[in-house]
Amino acid sequence: MSEFNTGSAAQHETIGIFGAKSASFSSKYHLTRRDKLKRLGQIAGIAKQFDIMRGLTPVKMRLMFEALGPTFVKVGQILSMRSEILPQSFCDELAKLRADADPMPYQTVLDTLEAEYKRPVREIFSSIDPTPLGSASLAQVHRATLISGEDVAVKVQRPGVRETMALDVSIMRSIAQTASKFVSSAQVVDLRGVVNELWDTFASETDFLVEARNLSEFKRFCDDYAYIDCPKPYNELCTEHVLVMDYVDGIPVENTQALQDAGYDLREIGTKLVDNYATQVLDAGFFHADPHPGNIIIAGGQIVLIDLGMTGRLNAQTRSVMREMIGAVAKQDSPGLADGLLRFAGTQADPEDYPALLADLDVIVKEYGTVGLADLDIAAFITSLTQMAQRHGIAVPSSVTTVARALVTLEGLLDEFIPDVNMIEIISQHIATDKAVDRVIRDETKALGIEGYQALHGLFGMLSESKVAARMLTRGQLKVNMELVGSTEPFQMLSDMVNRLTMALIVVGLFVGSSIVYFAGMKPVVFGIPVIGFLGYVIAFLLSLWIVFDIYRKGNPQKKR
């Protein structure tokens, strides 16, 4: 059948109407010019159906994104955290987007499995439940039993969805790049950022081998914690379009009544979930990036996280900065918060107006730092901080925005199902009472080692350049171009001093010359003084008055106004 094979690569090596740069991407995912035009027609048809020319309400936009398919659902989820692009009412509505979809036919699931494994399904699975456990726009999950007897969940990607998403991403990226050439507004820059973020996550979310590796890595992380777990993948049965993992039989975290009936303490579940999430983000640097209620199951006294298609990673330096910034907000330390933002931006951080940056941070700190942790709106705080950073030209890393979006998702889960648990308070306590000192020291030592390595190379490079400069200097080949950057006021003062000194020398010269002419007794005379000498005295006197007046005027600020 294979709907995954749409022809030879040679047949599809075309340069699309959206620019030559998309040629390699088009050939990789078998995209043609006709494909792009057809998809554009579909998008235009759906847009017309929702009558976007008359405007979009938040609900209308959400419904339109759902109708447009998985790519636009993902775009909507990203935009829900970007209130600098859309009004807050739209962001709140887009946050409700879920990738639920109508189930695909059971026969399509079987055909896809056989196409992937190149052998009959019965040789691998003794049974597959025809009723799906869940059906999303990207994939569908069925419960099954392996020939060897293990109870598993089989995640099957919808045929053709990868090509559709590739089309959408390619079109959006090209449109954003083209628009940026003609419109230099901040909105276009932001939209390019959204598209680039979507572009970066596209390959990993449509390649189930990536999710299998994420499950294996997260399983190793869970080995250190008795109360947290994730399904084990069966890597030998995983492909780009099929994922096989342990089936988890438990209670969804959103079914609070069933959890209480089973004897679980909701507050304990919430506290352990948040504390472990803080460990994932701030200690391990590898975290589940989409902790919505559908991805959390309580089974056998454990919190089981499923669907690790979206994960995030933070390096040691970023984790250190995040700890400092959380502490800075708690202490209402605006300079500390500013230093954290500037460390995020790295060597490109150069705010034109640092006092204005501190003033804006003061407003944020006063608004959120004085609020009790139980009342802190983390979504509003992150949005304010991100918008402020953007105004000052500070680029916050995409990994940090991924953390922010995940925290907002987790906060929404707690507010709806476990309201007695305050996420920010638990994270703050985690930072304050973190006993993994050896891990922190190891991370800081690693970061220091990297910085020292870079500094050492820079030092050797500088010594090498100094050797060349010294050789040129001894040969008379060295030229120095010097530019003094700063205020022009010192140079203006120096210029005024030179001008006054020059005028004073001229006055002295006139007085001396006129006196020589006087004693020489030259004719004609005026008031007993030779005419030439008289004119010299007058000019010297007037210039002396001008010098005195100029000194007085420039020395008194009141006279400048």
Side-chain angles (χ1 to χ4, degrees), residues 456-476:
L456 187 61
H457 270 265
L459 177 61
F460 285 144
M462 182 184 69
L463 292 176
S464 177
E465 295 293 334
S466 299
K467 181 179 178 181
V468 175
R471 185 182 298 114
M472 294 176 66
L473 179 62
T474 57
R475 295 179 180 179

Side-chain angles (χ1 to χ4, degrees), residues 95-115:
K96 301 175 184 177
L97 279 170
R98 286 290 174 259
D100 298 331
D102 294 332
M104 60 179 169
Y106 180 60
Q107 187 59 46
T108 302
V109 174
L110 297 179
D111 292 343
T112 302
L113 290 172
E114 289 192 358

Side-chain angles (χ1 to χ4, degrees), residues 504-527:
L505 290 175
I506 293 174
V507 169
V508 171
L510 287 172
F511 271 114
V512 172
S514 299
S515 299
I516 293 174
V517 172
Y518 172 75
F519 286 108
M522 297 175 62
K523 303 287 184 170
V525 296
V526 177
F527 302 117

Side-chain angles (χ1 to χ4, degrees), residues 243-447:
L243 175 67
V244 180
M245 56 191 161
D246 280 335
Y247 171 73
V248 179
D249 188 9
I251 305 172
V253 72
E254 55 193 332
N255 194 346
T256 54
Q257 187 59 52
L259 289 173
Q260 290 175 325
D261 291 344
Y264 287 105
D265 183 341
L266 296 183
R267 185 176 181 83
E268 182 184 5
I269 291 173
T271 301
K272 287 184 175 180
L273 174 62
V274 174
D275 186 69
N276 186 266
Y277 204 80
T279 302
Q280 295 174 38
V281 173
L282 297 175
D283 299 337
F286 176 66
F287 60 94
H288 194 302
D290 192 22
H292 68 77
N295 286 340
I296 303 174
I297 297 174
I298 310 301
Q302 291 182 308
I303 302 169
V304 182
L305 300 181
I306 62 174
D307 191 0
L308 269 83
M310 288 179 60
T311 59
R313 295 182 186 274
L314 298 173
N315 59 33
Q317 180 181 3
T318 303
R319 299 199 301 272
S320 175
V321 173
M322 288 189 67
R323 288 191 188 96
E324 293 176 8
M325 290 181 67
I326 293 172
V329 174
K331 294 184 291 186
Q332 301 184 44
D333 180 9
S334 296
L337 196 56
D339 289 344
L341 283 174
L342 295 179
R343 283 182 64 188
F344 272 147
T347 56
Q348 297 180 353
D350 186 20
E352 296 181 0
D353 193 345
Y354 189 76
L357 172 63
L358 288 179
D360 285 348
L361 284 172
D362 281 337
V363 174
I364 292 177
V365 167
K366 287 179 182 178
E367 182 176 357
Y368 297 100
T370 56
V371 175
L373 291 176
D375 301 319
L376 179 62
D377 186 343
I378 187 171
F381 167 69
I382 292 172
T383 299
S384 298
L385 194 62
T386 303
Q387 290 178 343
M388 186 280 307
Q390 184 185 28
R391 288 198 304 271
H392 290 275
I394 299 174
V396 178
S398 59
S399 59
V400 177
T401 59
T402 300
V403 173
R405 190 163 59 247
L407 290 178
V408 171
T409 302
L410 187 59
E411 184 186 41
L413 180 154
L414 295 174
D415 287 344
E416 185 173 359
F417 302 109
I418 316 177
D420 293 336
V421 175
N422 182 263
M423 181 178 68
I424 302 302
E425 187 172 3
I426 295 172
I427 293 176
S428 299
Q429 291 175 353
H430 177 90
I431 295 173
T433 61
D434 188 8
K435 297 181 180 180
V437 179
D438 57 335
R439 183 185 302 154
V440 175
I441 293 175
R442 186 168 62 250
D443 288 345
E444 293 296 333
T445 302
K446 182 179 179 180

Side-chain angles (χ1 to χ4, degrees), residues 70-217:
T71 313
F72 287 86
V73 168
K74 180 61 61 179
V75 170
Q77 291 171 345
I78 294 174
L79 285 173
S80 69
M81 272 295 293
R82 304 294 294 272
S83 60
E84 74 273 17
I85 300 177
L86 293 176
Q88 190 60 47
S89 59
F90 281 80
C91 294
D92 293 340
E93 185 65 30
L94 292 179
K96 301 175 184 177
L97 279 170
R98 286 290 174 259
D100 298 331
D102 294 332
M104 60 179 169
Y106 180 60
Q107 187 59 46
T108 302
V109 174
L110 297 179
D111 292 343
T112 302
L113 290 172
E114 289 192 358
E116 285 297 304
Y117 293 129
K118 304 293 190 296
R119 51 179 168 156
V121 175
R122 63 178 179 275
E123 295 182 7
I124 303 171
F125 303 99
S126 61
S127 65
I128 300 178
D129 189 347
T131 304
L133 295 170
S135 183
S137 55
L138 178 61
Q140 188 162 295
V141 181
H142 287 259
R143 185 175 182 177
T145 304
L146 296 177
I147 290 293
S148 53
E150 290 89 347
D151 199 7
V152 298
V154 183
K155 184 176 182 180
V156 182
Q157 190 173 119
R158 289 178 180 267
V161 71
R162 196 177 194 191
E163 286 73 20
T164 301
M165 291 185 72
L167 269 174
D168 292 341
V169 174
S170 180
I171 290 171
M172 286 188 288
R173 193 186 194 196
S174 299
I175 291 174
Q177 288 176 339
T178 303
S180 67
K181 297 177 181 178
F182 301 100
V183 183
S184 58
S185 68
Q187 294 291 344
V188 173
V189 174
D190 289 336
L191 287 173
R192 287 186 68 186
V194 171
V195 174
N196 286 335
E197 184 177 345
L198 183 68
W199 184 271
D200 292 337
T201 60
F202 162 74
S204 60
E205 288 205 42
T206 57
D207 185 352
F208 289 169
L209 290 175
V210 174
E211 183 173 352
R213 289 194 292 270
N214 290 340
L215 284 168
S216 297
E217 183 174 353

